[in-house]
Amino acid sequence: LTLVFSGSFLVSSLSAKAYLEQQLYMKNADNATALALSLSQQDADSILLELTLSAQFDTGFYEMIELIDPEGEVIIRRESSNATGDAPDWFMRLLPINVEPGVAPVQAGWQQLGTLSLRSHSRFAYKELWQSTQKMLLVFVLAMVMAGLLGSFLLKVILRPLVDVVAQADAIGQRRFITTPEPYTREFKQVVVTMNNLSQRIKQMLAREAKQLEKWQRDAHIDKVTGLLNREPFMRALDAALESDDVNATGALSLIRLDGLAQLNQVYGRKAIDSLLKDIGTALNSIVAKRSRWAASRLNGSDFALLAPRAIEADEAALNVQAAMREALENRSMLDDSTTLPGAATIFSHGDTIGELLTRLDGALLTADREGESSINIAHRGEIQIRPVRDQMEDWSEILAQGFRDQKFFLSTYPVLDLNDGILHHEAPVRLQRQGENITAGQFLPWINRLEMSGELDKYVVEHALQLIEDRDVDIGINLSVAAVVDSSFLPWISECLSRHANAARRLWMEVSEPMAFRHLTNFKFLCTRARAYHCKVGIEHIGHQLSSLGQLHDVGVDYLKIDASFVRDIASNAANQTLLRTLCTLGHSIGVLVISEGVRTDEEWAMLKELGVDGGTGPGIKEPGK
């Protein structure tokens, strides 16, 4: 419209200027003829001529009046020195009006007295030209305003799908491969279709690779007859639990023996017994599937083990295993007086060794087996008897309440290194100071969960982590409990907390465990969205036990994955786990997330992990540079 106005102004102004110049020239000629005729009738009286011309000039309509005698001498000349008018000077300079004066002879009879020249004043033409230009400008301004409003409205309608396109592009930049409805606008539709295809390909790739990972894991770790973990991966899982520093560091370990398996094999045959063992494996896997980080294994021909982190009652899990095995025998009509299911159970805690636990269990199982009954023997640590759970809960309730009251919880930091031995962040597990002793998280977190104090502890940890970042100017990584994911009040709280520490929030790494993330995936997405708003990093720890669920991460937008320590144990000599972790790293990198290994204990493990493609590592074997 500005170009149209400029062109219209140029054409109309030049046309009006030419028209006014033509009209002024005609007016000059007519006025000169009429005035010369009037002067010719005054008998060449010089005084009368001067009075007549002065009177005409004083009317203000003329810019110049001049009478010249036949010899070229000026008889009378009147000229206006006032060049100003109603139009601005710049406008008059831009469009100068140049008009030839009107010329007519003045005679006295047949004798020529002189030549009369006059030029009408151009200020009236400039006034008219300026006013028409202003009107034209006003019309165009109104037209531009109306066109702008209408154009803005139409563009808003047309560009409405662009909001979804931008949101989708932003989501892809955050490693969330979402799909959006296809708009009607042709150009946008092409973009959306292309981006949706990209998201779908990523989603399909994740699902395909996750299934392949699960297949490799099953082939390497799962007993083909029962579908339970083989002995070696079960022992690695137990070792990782004993060395962990979280809620899984305390729990129960059970051992149940299918007594008389050899006789059953002779009576019913191998094929029938394999079917029985498969039924037992299915039953035990159904128990394990209901609890995160639980694991079941067939340790040898007739012994079945169950690892139950966070369990407080030693015999509770063992009784469930025993009942499941008895039901499988009854369904196959193989349960008789000669078939018993003796068992042993013990409580483990952070710092125990596998040798100590198996020694305790073997002794208790031998005692139960000698009794010839399907009983569960509780194996105590030395001569220490396990106190009733109710008494323990009362004690821990007071200890934890006092810890919150006196602010005895604190964060202990451990380095997480990248491939160049630089600091990615500092892992900060929570500790409890009591009577001059620092209690590890693995000792009190099970009771925190049982007493429903997880939400309170999460808030305490987040605030102290932000304060630690501000005090030490380092990146801090913290673990959140299930309460942070499922508690509806936690999201508003953490938004308010992070907004108060906006700068520190950029250096906060928050992670939740794999089972928690996938079991409450919708709520976990909400947590990721809130965290991204304040530039926090969110990750999933203990990755590796639900590999088939990795395909669900296509639209979550996590920043990093931490491989469970059980897959890192002796990785330098475990070809199956090497293939598994190499593929897991490739999968993580394809969607732009960091892959970090947990529980690194030796330089050999760290060197092999670097070759497999991890981006960082943490554990007892990882030392901060310079320390």
Side-chain angles (χ1 to χ4, degrees):
L1 284 174
T2 302
L3 290 174
V4 169
F5 168 74
S6 301
S8 300
F9 169 75
L10 181 62
V11 172
S12 62
S13 298
L14 293 177
S15 298
K17 174 178 174 292
Y19 174 76
L20 290 172
E21 287 178 341
Q22 182 182 14
Q23 293 298 313
L24 282 174
Y25 175 73
M26 294 174 62
K27 179 176 180 293
N28 290 343
D30 290 344
N31 289 350
T33 302
L35 186 56
L37 181 60
S38 174
L39 294 175
S40 296
Q41 296 175 359
Q42 296 180 4
D43 297 329
D45 188 339
S46 59
I47 296 176
L48 191 57
L49 288 174
E50 184 176 356
L51 290 175
T52 301
L53 291 178
S54 297
Q56 284 293 323
F57 182 79
D58 290 340
T59 60
F61 293 106
Y62 298 99
E63 185 178 326
M64 184 272 296
I65 297 179
E66 184 180 52
L67 181 61
I68 303 175
D69 64 14
E71 286 75 23
E73 296 292 332
V74 177
I75 301 174
I76 300 172
R77 181 181 176 86
R78 295 288 186 271
E79 185 174 6
S80 174
S81 60
N82 185 12
T84 60
D86 296 323
D89 292 341
W90 64 266
F91 184 77
M92 292 189 292
R93 288 193 300 271
L94 182 65
L95 294 172
I97 297 177
N98 300 312
V99 183
E100 292 294 326
V103 179
V106 179
Q107 297 178 330
W110 294 103
Q111 181 183 2
Q112 184 174 353
L113 296 179
T115 301
L116 177 66
S117 299
L118 64 80
R119 185 168 56 244
S120 298
H121 212 300
S122 59
R123 71 172 184 273
F124 301 105
Y126 279 121
K127 178 181 179 181
E128 185 64 27
L129 188 59
W130 173 244
Q131 289 178 346
S132 65
T133 302
Q134 286 180 308
K135 292 177 182 178
M136 184 187 302
L137 177 62
L138 178 60
V139 170
F140 269 92
V141 168
L142 292 176
M144 289 172 71
V145 171
M146 294 297 295
L149 293 175
L150 180 61
S152 297
F153 174 75
L154 293 176
L155 278 176
K156 187 175 181 180
V157 174
I158 295 172
L159 297 178
R160 190 172 296 162
L162 186 60
V163 177
D164 294 334
V165 174
V166 172
Q168 187 179 31
D170 185 56
I172 290 176
Q174 298 173 357
R175 299 168 298 282
R176 294 185 298 116
F177 299 92
I178 63 175
T179 57
T180 58
E182 295 179 7
Y184 293 106
T185 309
R186 184 182 61 185
E187 292 80 6
F188 292 153
K189 184 176 182 179
Q190 293 173 347
V191 176
V192 170
V193 168
T194 302
M195 295 176 70
N196 282 345
N197 289 338
L198 170 64
S199 295
Q200 285 295 332
R201 285 196 298 270
I202 294 295
K203 181 179 179 180
Q204 292 168 4
M205 182 271 292
L206 280 173
R208 184 171 59 250
E209 294 297 330
K211 289 181 180 178
Q212 186 65 37
L213 280 171
E214 185 184 30
K215 181 178 181 301
W216 284 339
Q217 183 187 33
R218 292 188 63 84
D219 292 343
H221 296 168
I222 303 300
D223 177 57
K224 291 181 173 55
V225 176
T226 62
L228 300 173
L229 282 176
N230 290 323
R231 180 185 179 91
E232 183 182 351
F234 180 82
M235 290 302 173
R236 286 199 301 268
L238 175 58
D239 190 22
L242 294 175
E243 289 191 4
S244 67
D245 194 17
D246 57 19
V247 68
N248 299 303
T250 302
L253 180 64
S254 307
L255 194 60
I256 307 296
R257 175 169 294 167
L258 177 55
D259 202 16
L261 180 61
Q263 292 84 350
L264 291 174
N265 209 2
Q266 292 176 359
V267 174
Y268 296 100
R270 180 170 180 173
K271 186 175 181 181
I273 296 304
D274 283 351
S275 296
L276 170 65
L277 293 175
K278 183 178 181 181
D279 290 346
I280 291 175
T282 301
L284 296 189
N285 277 330
S286 67
I287 295 174
V288 169
K290 298 175 183 177
R291 302 285 193 277
S292 65
R293 300 296 301 278
W294 283 30
S297 172
R298 184 187 179 193
L299 295 184
N300 53 44
S302 59
D303 289 349
F304 296 83
L306 180 70
L307 174 64
R310 303 177 307 284
I312 296 177
E313 298 280 2
D315 59 346
E316 184 177 357
L319 291 172
N320 288 336
V321 174
Q322 193 182 65
M325 294 175 65
R326 183 181 292 109
E327 184 178 357
L329 287 165
E330 291 175 347
N331 290 339
R332 293 279 175 175
S333 300
M334 297 181 182
L335 184 64
D336 55 33
D337 294 339
S338 62
T339 305
T340 58
L341 299 170
T346 187
I347 290 293
F348 67 84
S349 60
H350 181 76
D352 284 339
T353 65
I354 293 179
E356 293 173 352
L357 291 176
L358 293 183
T359 299
R360 294 205 302 258
L361 285 176
D362 286 341
L365 182 60
L366 182 60
T367 302
D369 196 11
R370 286 174 179 171
E371 293 174 356
E373 298 179 359
S374 299
S375 59
I376 303 295
N377 244 1
I378 305 299
H380 304 289
R381 181 186 298 174
E383 300 299 324
I384 301 175
Q385 299 289 324
I386 299 177
R387 298 176 59 215
V389 173
R390 177 174 296 181
D391 293 345
Q392 295 183 67
M393 286 186 65
E394 290 178 357
D395 292 344
W396 277 106
S397 177
E398 176 58 32
I399 292 171
L400 296 173
Q402 184 176 1
F404 283 115
R405 195 165 49 245
D406 299 338
Q407 296 189 347
K408 293 296 184 179
F409 291 99
F410 66 97
L411 300 180
S412 181
T413 58
Y414 301 93
V416 179
L417 302 187
D418 60 20
L419 298 183
N420 299 317
D421 293 332
I423 299 293
L424 275 176
H425 64 271
H426 285 82
E427 205 167 26
V430 65
R431 298 282 185 267
L432 174 61
Q433 190 177 56
R434 180 172 182 265
Q435 297 178 353
E437 179 185 359
N438 294 334
I439 304 175
T440 63
Q443 294 176 268
F444 63 80
L445 281 182
W447 299 104
I448 284 278
N449 292 341
R450 179 67 67 96
L451 294 167
E452 298 182 352
M453 295 180 176
S454 300
E456 186 177 359
L457 182 62
D458 284 332
K459 295 177 181 179
Y460 191 95
V461 167
V462 170
E463 288 181 336
H464 278 68
L466 293 171
Q467 188 62 49
L468 194 61
I469 292 171
E470 293 174 347
D471 293 343
R472 294 175 50 181
D473 192 28
V474 294
D475 287 28
I476 295 294
I478 58 173
N479 306 97
L480 297 178
S481 72
V482 66
V485 178
V486 301
D487 187 356
S488 59
S489 65
F490 185 78
L491 291 181
W493 177 87
I494 198 169
S495 295
E496 190 274 332
C497 182
L498 295 177
S499 65
R500 285 189 283 107
H501 304 271
N503 291 331
R506 296 173 178 272
R507 308 189 69 175
L508 181 65
W509 300 51
M510 299 185 295
E511 55 198 56
V512 300
S513 66
E514 179 188 60
M516 185 197 316
F518 291 123
R519 188 170 297 166
H520 308 285
L521 189 60
T522 300
N523 290 343
F524 180 56
K525 289 179 183 178
F526 292 151
L527 177 63
C528 290
T529 301
R530 292 293 180 97
R532 278 194 304 272
Y534 298 96
H535 307 285
C536 296
K537 290 182 174 60
V538 180
I540 302 177
E541 63 174 345
H542 307 323
I543 281 287
H545 301 280
Q546 295 179 233
L547 294 176
S548 61
S549 300
L550 288 177
Q552 301 177 43
L553 296 179
H554 70 280
D555 62 345
V556 176
V558 296
D559 297 285
Y560 63 99
L561 304 174
K562 282 189 174 179
I563 303 171
D564 188 70
S566 61
F567 296 96
V568 177
R569 291 286 180 272
D570 304 318
I571 187 66
S573 58
N574 192 319
N577 277 355
Q578 288 175 16
T579 301
L580 186 70
L581 296 194
R582 182 181 289 109
T583 307
L584 181 57
C585 291
T586 302
L587 179 62
H589 295 158
S590 67
I591 58 173
V593 303
L594 297 175
V595 181
I596 301 170
S597 56
E598 298 177 339
V600 181
R601 297 187 297 182
T602 65
D603 293 338
E604 290 76 14
E605 289 179 349
W606 183 220
M608 176 54 67
L609 288 167
K610 289 181 178 180
E611 290 184 18
L612 296 177
V614 300
D615 301 294
T618 182
I622 299 294
K623 303 300 181 184
E624 188 170 350
K627 293 187 179 181

